[in-house]
């Protein structure tokens, strides 16, 4: 099955898709990074995206909250099309949480301030309520006792869990993960993955760029393999790992699975 | 043997407890040997430095303190031919002229107003800079609004006597500002009420300011041509510092803006102002500005160099701030954007607090440079501290060999106290901010 033939019939026509990418192209100068991306993400769907470095997987999910601009095609997130309108882009970003490879916490603010900043300033939530929400999510990622420390005082795994909590404080409908465990020491990968599994179990719509194939097997509804800016193969995890169709996918899997 | 050096198999049986470091040699002798005479090169350096100190410090102390003349009423005290001592500083001269050095030619009966200005300035500075001061938000309102207005009225005498036409013009201006805010709110589809409150607030603040300046408090008018000395130096420095930081930030953001016109305007301003000497800027502000303005409009003699120095410092400040902005990792912008913060929120809450922290040394460097550059306003005939010293130096009543040196020593002392104070305060700020967020 190739990317161009998404079985649209399987998508429930009642439910509007969470994300729709239609014929999306992107160039960095002359370099064609994203080519003909077509993707429909249902609500509550968990998608894992893998591929060699430079294949455009990060660029693709960064287009969804407009950290990168696409030059051709349409991207519709939660019913809002991403155009040049700044107000709409902010609207989309409010609904879409993102977790980065290097956490991108704000080092000059405490953990609690990191988590309450956006609810207070973007959602105009009263400070007290925002702090309650923040403590709720910090408890959920199991670090409420670190609330008054600064990011630099935490381990990588803790920082990444704070980053997840910070996104959750905005009650997003969709979460994007851009290689969330790639910058972590091996001992800390599991604590972050456990948090993500918990999130997946609660029905969050998730797009996750990762090479953690165990995670893909455990939670993903679909696995996407990208190369040269294209979606090369997309399938359920079972089929994807057991029975890869495309030659490039087989080569990639043989190199990362031992 | 406790470790596995040549054993093929090793399992640690007992945890090694943390021990204090070995007891190194301590005490002053050990310290001197280690830090001053640790090797031949270090020893030579130490001896050279000691020699230089020996050559420079004792004569300086002899001139400034030991041989100095502390009392006296005229040149006789500092002249050898009239029984005085002329090998040391003539502090009696400074003491005699101190009022001129502080106030310039400010009307003598009105000098209490300048004293109140100094007190108000000190209160404002302490309120803002002393971290444990109560209600520092009110302190900001005081320093940036109440203090300038009160100072203006105090120092000039106020009572500007605005005409009815002026107030009519202001009413039209105010209505236009409020309409503009309402229009922008409608354009952005934001709610109207906060926009009206904001616009009304700005108009009200300007209106109250103008009304206060207009009111007759019964203070005699003191023209700026009479101001001088430390009063002018502190005034120019304070205005320069207070204006240059925000204006420099705006210019730095403008230079990094994606909008070509904004960027071009910022680049042209920064490069032009930075590319010419301050003296040129001052002379231009002094002599050319009046030529460009319509005939019936004049800018105060003191205000011209004030604007000149403030703009000059802003251009430098802009480049310092830009350095900080460029040091910010892209991830900070992305983290802020992904949370839905808009540009002003992202800049004011995330980027600028961190960027400014990085460039505190550069900012304070610019402030110190500005503080000392204020002495250049003398070029356009403003009597700042250095100029008042120059003028007093040639007073025949005080004609003595050491008068000039003493005057400049006094100026050096004055500038050093303020600049060193700024430097120490900034070091304290750096330490405090670093303690908050160990990386």
């Amino acid at each position: 099955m190739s990317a161009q033939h998404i079985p649209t019939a399987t998508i429930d026509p009642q439910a509007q898709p969470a994300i729709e990418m239609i014929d999306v192209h992107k160039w960095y100068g002359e370099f064609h990074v994203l080519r003909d991306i077509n993707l429909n993400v249902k609500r509550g769907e968990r998608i894992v995206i893998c591929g060699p470095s430079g294949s455009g997987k990060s660029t693709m999910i960064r287009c969804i909250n407009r950290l990168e601009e696409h030059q051709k095609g349409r991207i519709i997130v939660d019913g809002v099309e991403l155009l040049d309108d700044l107000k709409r882009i902010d609207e989309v970003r409010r609904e879409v949480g993102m977790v980065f490879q290097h956490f991108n916490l704000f080092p000059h603010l405490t953990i609690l301030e990191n988590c309450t900043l956006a609810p207070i300033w973007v959602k105009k939530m009263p400070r007290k309520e925002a702090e309650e929400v923040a403590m709720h999510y910090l408890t959920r990622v199991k670090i409420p006792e670190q609330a008054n420390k600064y990011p630099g005082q935490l381990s990588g795994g803790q920082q990444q869990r704070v980053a997840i909590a910070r996104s959750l404080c905005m009650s997003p409908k969709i979460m994007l993960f851009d290689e969330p465990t790639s910058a972590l020491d091996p001992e800390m990968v599991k604590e972050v993955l456990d948090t993500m599994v918990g999130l997946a179990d609660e029905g969050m719509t998730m797009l996750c760029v990762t090479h953690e194939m165990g995670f893909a097997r455990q939670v993903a509804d679909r696995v996407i393999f990208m190369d040269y800016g294209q979606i090369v193969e997309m399938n359920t995890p079972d089929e994807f790992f057991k029975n890869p169709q495309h030659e490039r996918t087989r080569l990639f899997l043989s190199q990362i699975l031992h | 043997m406790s470790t596995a050096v040549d054993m093929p198999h090793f399992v640690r049986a007992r945890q090694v407890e943390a021990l204090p470091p070995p007891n190194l040699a301590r005490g002053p002798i050990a310290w001197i040997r280690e830090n001053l005479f640790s090797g031949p090169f270090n020893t030579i350096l130490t001896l050279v430095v000691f020699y230089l100190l020996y050559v420079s410090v004792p004569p300086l102390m002899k001139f400034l303190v030991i041989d100095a003349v502390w009392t006296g009423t005229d040149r006789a005290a500092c002249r050898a031919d009239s029984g005085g001592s002329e090998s040391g500083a003539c502090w009696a001269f400074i003491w005699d002229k101190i009022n001129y050095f502080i106030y310039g030619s400010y009307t003598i009966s009105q000098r209490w107003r300048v004293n109140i200005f100094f007190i108000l300035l000190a209160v404002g500075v302490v309120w803002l800079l002393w971290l444990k001061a109560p209600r520092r938000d009110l302190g900001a309102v005081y320093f940036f609004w109440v203090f300038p207005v009160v100072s203006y009225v105090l120092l000039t005498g106020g009572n500007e006597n605005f005409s009815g036409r002026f107030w009519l013009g202001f009413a039209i201006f105010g209505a236009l500002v409020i309409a503009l805010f309402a229009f922008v709110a409608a354009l952005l589809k934001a709610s109207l009420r906060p926009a009206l409150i904001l616009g009304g607030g700005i108009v009200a603040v300007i209106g109250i300011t103008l009304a206060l300046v207009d009111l007759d408090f019964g203070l005699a008018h003191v023209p700026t041509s009479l101001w001088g000395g430390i009063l002018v130096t502190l005034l120019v420095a304070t205005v320069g510092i207070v204006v240059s930081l925000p204006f420099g930030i705006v210019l730095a953001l403008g230079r990094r803006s994606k909008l070509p016109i904004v960027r071009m305007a910022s680049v042209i301003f920064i490069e032009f102002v930075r590319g010419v000497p301050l003296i040129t800027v001052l002379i231009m502000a002094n002599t050319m500005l009046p030529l460009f303005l319509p005939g019936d409009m004049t800018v105060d003699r003191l205000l011209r160099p004030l604007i000149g120095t403030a703009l000059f410092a802003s251009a430098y400040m802009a480049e310092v701030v830009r350095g900080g902005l460029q040091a910010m990792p892209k991830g900070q912008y992305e983290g802020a954007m992904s949370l839905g913060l808009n540009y002003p929120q992202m800049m004011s809450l995330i980027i600028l607090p961190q960027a400014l922290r990085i460039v505190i040394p550069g900012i304070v460097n610019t402030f110190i440079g500005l503080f000392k550059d204020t002495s250049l306003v003398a070029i356009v005939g403003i009597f700042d501290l250095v100029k008042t010293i120059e003028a007093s130096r040639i007073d025949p009543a005080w004609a003595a060999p050491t008068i000039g040196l003493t005057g400049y020593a006094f100026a050096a002392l004055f500038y050093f106290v303020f600049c060193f104070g700024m430097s120490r305060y900034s070091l304290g700020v750096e330490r405090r901010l670093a303690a908050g967020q160990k990386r």
Side-chain angles (χ1 to χ4, degrees), chain B residues 350-426:
Chain B
I350 307 298
I351 304 300
L352 280 175
Q354 296 184 67
L356 292 181
R357 191 183 74 103
I358 300 173
V359 294
I360 286 175
I363 291 175
V364 174
N365 197 23
T366 310
F367 282 168
I368 289 177
L370 166 71
F371 191 84
K372 292 184 298 182
D373 280 352
T374 57
S375 56
L376 286 174
V377 297
I379 292 285
V380 290
I382 307 293
F383 273 72
D384 80 312
L385 175 62
V386 173
K387 185 80 176 176
T388 54
I389 290 172
E390 298 245 284
S392 313
R393 187 166 76 84
I394 49 176
D395 179 358
W398 279 98
T402 53
I403 291 302
L405 279 175
T406 309
Y408 290 122
F410 174 68
L413 201 67
F414 170 83
Y415 282 104
F416 180 77
V417 165
F418 277 85
C419 294
F420 190 65
M422 282 194 253
S423 166
R424 296 312 297 181
Y425 182 79
S426 88

Side-chain angles (χ1 to χ4, degrees), chain A residues 210-222:
Chain A
T210 183
H211 293 134
E212 296 294 334
M213 291 304 144
F215 174 77
R217 280 210 181 89
Q218 190 183 347
V219 305
D221 296 314
R222 269 192 282 170

Side-chain angles (χ1 to χ4, degrees), chain A residues 37 70 130 134 154 185:
Chain A
I37 302 291
H70 60 286
L154 269 55
D185 289 342

Side-chain angles (χ1 to χ4, degrees), chain A residues 62 65 67 87 90 93 96 98 100 104-109 117-118 121-122 124 150 152-153 166 170, chain B residues 188-190 330-342 345 349-351 353-354 436-439:
Chain A
R62 286 154 63 88
N65 66 351
L67 289 182
K87 234 180 132 82
D90 282 341
R93 284 177 181 162
V96 180
M98 184 154 197
F100 300 86
N104 296 354
L105 294 176
F106 307 129
H108 63 302
L109 302 176
L117 184 92
W121 289 92
V122 179
K124 313 290 177 204
Y150 286 89
Q153 294 165 296
R166 180 177 75 175
M170 289 293 285
Chain B
L188 294 172
K189 298 184 189 86
K330 204 164 160 249
Q332 291 293 309
Y333 291 89
E334 290 177 349
M337 283 193 284
S338 75
L339 288 169
L341 297 178
N342 59 27
Q345 290 170 338
L349 298 170
I350 307 298
I351 304 300
Q354 296 184 67
Q437 35 170 314
K438 288 171 248 144
R439 288 201 201 221

